[in-house]
Amino acid sequence: SGKRNYEDYEGFKRLVDTAKNIVVLTGAGISAESGIPVFRGAGGLWRKYKSENLASPDAFASNPALVWEFYNYRRHIAFNASPNKAHISLADYEKKCKKENRNLSIVTQNVDGLHLRAGSEKVVELHGALRKVSCTNGTCENVEENYDDPIVPAFANRGDASLDQADLPVIDRKDLPKCKKCGSLARPYIVWFGEMLDPDVLEEAQLLVGGCDLCLVIGTSSVVYPAAMFAPSVAQRGVPVAEFNLEEHPADSDFAFHFPGLCATTLPKALG
Ligand code: BJW
Ligand code: ZN
């Protein structure tokens, strides 16, 4: 460890083309070039509200209409976005691996669904998905796919939900999304701050991370747990980690490879 290879594309290619179990960890940065705002830093979506103040069970309990309108807006952006060259090069590389009897899996923090839409098959969605809603009634636990945009008529023609809503009429609770099974209030199928990740999903991710012989970590600020510990745990085992990010982070000194820049440019170059 401690070996830092900046932009060593040739060295990386030799490794990636022989690795048997590749795990790719992704965050918001991989979708930035598809027009989906990242969470932290410049261009962050949460200008007016801190992410913790909307993506939390308390926020939903106290103002479900505000939280739902925010997710309605996020869904609109995600459903209308297209996978970029970074998503597509991963999907293509997974197909190449399959032919060569090797494995490539994606463990993503993203909720936009763009890996699946790019054609990736093995995708673990750690934080849920914007295309899914779940029931708030603990005895029902129904999870369903829902592509309606707006998700309910009450959200039509209210403009950009990221703007100040003080002047907009308050939406009645009865007009919010409902569970199609039991009629209770529905919620976004998203893991909010302070909530546990689905234990099966977490276990699947941990198995993949624990068994990989090469790890790519792409477009994440690596501050949100438990996802933030995956790449460091791989590096700790002495397995090479390659980071693709606009910026370099001080915590990443154990990573073997660094490819600074826009990942829709660097990733196709590294996997091509
Ligand atoms: C590019 C690029 C380009 C840009 N090319 N690169 C201390 C206090 C309080 C809480 C905690 C604490 N310690 C731990 C916790 C728990 C908490 C946590 O980690 N908080 C931290 C913030 C400190 N974690 C949790 O609550 C998790 N649950 C949990 O731990 O349960 C147990 C528990 C229960 C109770 C108490 C404590 C523990 C759940 C976390 C769920 C996170 N959910 C969110 C929001 C919902 C999703 C949504 O609505 O969309 O998921 S948070 C938000 O951050 C979102 C993301 O998935 C996640 C990660 O962000 P990501 O992907 O890294 O994006 P950014 O924006 O941060 O970074 C983008 C990066 O891309 C940057 O590095 C750029 O440079 C780069 N970039 N363009 C390449 N073109
Ligand atoms: Zn229900």
Side-chain angles (χ1 to χ4, degrees):
S1 80
K3 192 174 169 226
R4 299 150 74 97
N5 297 318
Y6 283 89
E7 302 182 297
D8 179 7
Y9 285 97
E10 291 313 313
F12 177 76
K13 270 180 197 158
R14 280 193 295 274
L15 274 184
V16 76
D17 284 339
T18 53
K20 293 276 186 246
N21 294 297
I22 303 166
V23 165
V24 183
L25 308 170
T26 66
I30 198 170
S31 297
E33 290 163 86
S34 295
I36 299 183
V38 298
F39 293 92
R40 296 166 189 86
L45 180 71
W46 315 77
R47 240 166 272 131
K48 183 160 164 54
Y49 302 95
K50 287 178 77 180
S51 62
E52 290 83 346
N53 295 340
L54 280 176
S56 82
D58 289 350
F60 189 71
S62 68
N63 196 343
L66 175 68
V67 174
W68 255 125
E69 186 157 15
F70 183 70
Y71 279 95
N72 180 66
Y73 169 69
R74 304 270 311 283
R75 285 160 54 91
H76 178 78
I77 292 178
F79 296 171
N80 288 287
S82 303
N84 65 52
K85 285 180 177 162
H87 299 104
I88 291 165
S89 65
L90 287 175
D92 290 348
Y93 200 82
E94 181 186 5
K95 289 188 184 79
K96 173 178 153 76
C97 285
K98 227 172 158 178
K99 282 189 204 130
E100 298 167 358
N101 249 324
R102 306 188 294 128
N103 303 305
L104 182 145
S105 316
I106 295 173
V107 174
T108 187
Q109 296 173 79
N110 297 345
V111 295
D112 55 40
L114 290 180
H115 285 302
L116 291 167
R117 283 175 51 204
S120 286
E121 287 175 14
K122 184 90 187 98
V123 182
V124 178
E125 294 179 315
L126 287 172
H127 292 164
L130 289 167
R131 67 180 179 282
K132 295 180 184 172
V133 303
S134 66
C135 185
T136 57
N137 173 355
T139 60
C140 175
E141 293 186 331
N142 181 38
V143 178
E144 55 198 57
E145 290 208 334
N146 178 318
Y147 291 94
D148 299 342
D149 181 20
I151 188 164
V152 284
F155 290 139
N157 306 317
R158 282 170 66 93
D160 183 337
S162 71
L163 300 177
D164 191 347
Q165 299 200 320
D167 299 333
L168 292 170
V170 174
I171 289 171
D172 205 275
R173 192 183 171 97
K174 71 169 177 14
D175 296 325
L176 293 177
K178 301 230 172 33
C179 171
K180 291 202 170 78
K181 253 192 188 161
C182 78
S184 300
L185 178 65
R187 59 163 279 177
Y189 185 69
I190 301 284
V191 181
W192 285 328
F193 283 106
E195 293 187 317
M196 299 295 189
L197 277 65
D198 179 323
D200 296 336
V201 170
L202 182 58
E203 193 189 321
E204 195 183 0
Q206 283 166 336
L207 281 174
L208 292 169
V209 167
C212 72
D213 55 4
L214 179 65
C215 175
L216 282 62
V217 53
I218 306 170
T220 175
S221 58
S222 300
V223 296
V224 173
Y225 286 84
M229 62 190 194
F230 291 156
S233 79
V234 172
Q236 211 107 63
R237 284 197 286 124
V239 170
V241 175
E243 175 161 62
F244 297 78
N245 200 301
L246 272 179
E247 299 155 10
E248 203 213 339
H249 306 113
D252 305 341
S253 54
D254 284 345
F255 296 169
F257 295 91
H258 292 273
F259 299 100
L262 298 167
C263 64
T265 306
T266 56
L267 202 58
K269 204 169 147 187
L271 296 177

